[in-house]
Amino acid sequence: MTTVEHSAILPASPEQVFDLLERVEDFADYSDLITAIEAQGNEHYRWYVHAIGVDWTFDVKVTEKTRPRVLAWESVDGVSNQGRYELEAVPEGTRVKLTLEYEIRNRLVASAVKRAAQPLVGKVSSQILRRVEDRLEGKY
């Protein structure tokens, strides 16, 4: 699996940040690359993503939800991936760390994705966290 990490500091408490991150279906509002997220019930979600010119669909389940410190998931269908948000109180607010691991079995597609993954995940993560911050500040 390939691992990509991203972190940022948001000027809000871990509880406030976690309350927004745990509303998984709202992530479609936070990133231009996420076209939709459908709640499937029982902490399962179907994600629709358009990235590097390709439409991706995958189902994930939340595997850990420890308010206000950890939100983790893993795929159950589609693109093999697992991820984890870790939140830590810091003097400026909350440090949010995203760790994402994925595996694409098609070698041609995997090669293209690997070249684009780090900047792509960084872009999506930055966009999500920026829009979460805007929502916390009442801007979005």
Side-chain angles (χ1 to χ4, degrees):
M1 287 195 133
T2 301
T3 301
V4 180
E5 294 183 341
H6 181 257
S7 66
I9 294 177
L10 300 182
S13 72
E15 292 82 7
Q16 291 171 302
V17 175
F18 187 89
D19 288 347
L20 289 178
L21 290 177
E22 77 173 335
R23 296 198 310 242
V24 175
E25 55 272 24
D26 287 353
F27 276 52
D29 296 335
Y30 300 153
S31 174
D32 299 334
L33 300 177
I34 303 169
T35 55
I37 298 174
E38 298 172 352
Q40 304 290 303
N42 203 26
E43 298 288 351
H44 283 72
Y45 300 89
R46 177 161 296 142
W47 287 59
Y48 299 91
V49 176
H50 184 80
I52 61 169
V54 177
D55 290 320
W56 306 85
T57 302
F58 50 93
D59 293 346
V60 301
K61 67 177 179 178
V62 173
T63 57
E64 183 179 355
K65 189 188 269 192
T66 306
R67 186 180 190 272
R69 297 180 301 120
V70 176
L71 180 65
W73 66 91
E74 68 181 11
S75 63
V76 293
D77 188 31
V79 177
S80 177
N81 72 89
Q82 58 189 32
R84 174 179 193 88
Y85 278 110
E86 295 179 2
L87 287 72
E88 173 189 4
V90 295
E92 303 90 341
T94 301
R95 180 183 325 279
V96 181
K97 179 182 174 187
L98 167 66
T99 303
L100 178 67
E101 297 179 342
Y102 69 89
E103 181 177 18
I104 298 177
R105 292 178 181 95
N106 179 312
R107 284 181 32 200
L108 270 175
V109 174
S111 177
V113 169
K114 188 171 185 173
R115 284 192 306 274
Q118 182 74 38
L120 188 64
V121 170
K123 175 184 177 182
V124 171
S125 181
S126 295
Q127 197 174 60
I128 288 169
L129 294 178
R130 188 172 48 253
R131 290 185 182 171
V132 164
E133 181 177 359
D134 288 347
R135 187 162 282 178
L136 287 166
E137 294 175 351
K139 297 179 188 174
Y140 180 70

